[in-house]
Amino acid sequence: MSARRFILLGPPGAGKGTQSQRLVSDLGLPQISTGDLLRAARKAGTVLGLKAQGFMDAGQLVPDALIFELVEERLAQADAAAGYILDGFPRNVAQADEMARRGIVVDRVVLMEVPTEALVARLSGRRVCGQCAATYHAEAFPTRVEGVCDACGGVVSQRKDDTAEVVSQRLDVYARETSPLIAYYSSVGSLRRVDGFESTEKVYASIMTALSA
Ligand code: AMP
């Protein structure tokens, strides 16, 4: 039986969002991406969104209290009762400890490993649809019409935090704050490693194996 409450762990640009999209439709589980929830809060102009924006634009982590407010609200929705794909959360050991305290269960943690040089190229070329969140790459996977989403016709642009300077800051934050989660989940036996530097198809197959093994 496949794990149904799991974390996709990995640096920014590892392909967590891309893989989540397919996992959502194949497994029928919701993807809970704290980055997407934060971007939606900003777009909606909520107080939480306003508090988060400075941290996000600087490539820093948003305070844990704000993250738990968003996550708890999302997990309380009916579609999360049978399981969930956590993407970009937890982001540090304090969040992982707090999850355990709040009874947010995780059966499996899938670590997507990609070399740092590839992450920089992926992130700086990444373009995202502001409407449906489909992702493209300026060179490797451009939209058919520049700036227009192939899927929904929405406006496709670069995320503010995908610029070279902020990308290097985000990778530093990952190394310092998030990567200790690898040892954390390894020690409890729930971690599985996947080579994220393969084709989307191969990575997907490895994730499915990691969820069942
Ligand atoms: P992401 O889309 O996962 O790359 O997240 C974009 C930005 O949102 C990050 O650089 C952080 O500023 C913030 N963020 C997303 N998830 C978290 C989290 N779990 N904890 C703290 N900050 C987060």
Side-chain angles (χ1 to χ4, degrees):
M1 165 108 179
S2 192
R4 296 187 68 79
R5 293 170 293 191
F6 60 90
I7 297 170
L8 286 186
L9 179 64
K16 302 184 297 292
T18 303
Q19 293 295 333
S20 291
Q21 284 176 6
R22 184 157 166 207
L23 292 163
V24 164
S25 63
D26 289 3
L27 301 177
L29 298 173
Q31 169 205 14
I32 300 182
S33 154
T34 41
D36 286 350
L37 292 172
L38 287 164
R39 281 182 288 276
R42 288 181 65 166
K43 211 170 161 184
T46 66
V47 174
L48 190 151
L50 283 172
K51 285 185 187 159
Q53 71 187 18
F55 297 99
M56 296 173 77
D57 290 345
Q60 301 287 354
L61 293 187
V62 170
D64 297 345
L66 299 182
I67 297 297
F68 277 94
E69 203 178 313
L70 284 173
V71 169
E72 288 278 18
E73 191 186 318
R74 183 63 189 85
L75 284 174
Q77 290 171 27
D79 65 344
Y84 36 79
I85 304 164
L86 300 178
D87 164 2
F89 170 80
R91 216 52 166 237
N92 56 29
V93 170
Q95 289 181 10
D97 281 337
E98 183 62 22
M99 279 172 76
R101 261 195 299 279
R102 293 180 184 227
I104 303 172
V105 179
V106 170
D107 314 313
R108 190 61 43 91
V109 179
V110 180
L111 172 65
M112 298 174 64
E113 297 181 294
V114 174
T116 306
E117 317 76 72
L119 296 172
V120 174
R122 280 187 184 186
L123 290 167
S124 52
R126 179 161 72 177
R127 302 290 181 268
V128 185
C129 174
Q131 199 160 295
C132 75
T135 54
Y136 300 90
H137 190 279
E139 284 96 47
F141 180 43
T143 50
R144 282 195 292 271
V145 177
E146 201 180 328
V148 180
C149 180
D150 293 355
C152 77
V155 177
V156 171
S157 59
Q158 184 176 43
R159 267 170 52 173
K160 252 191 182 163
D161 59 350
D162 278 344
T163 53
E165 193 189 321
V166 186
V167 161
S168 89
Q169 172 64 26
R170 287 163 66 205
L171 292 172
D172 285 351
V173 167
Y174 177 80
R176 205 173 51 242
E177 304 218 29
T178 310
S179 69
L181 288 172
I182 299 170
Y184 180 99
Y185 286 116
S186 247
S187 69
V188 292
S190 45
L191 191 92
R192 301 290 181 277
R193 291 171 189 266
V194 158
D195 180 359
F197 198 43
E198 282 284 0
S199 67
T200 310
E201 279 303 313
K202 278 196 181 159
V203 175
Y204 182 77
S206 310
I207 292 175
M208 291 306 274
T209 305
L211 291 178
S212 57

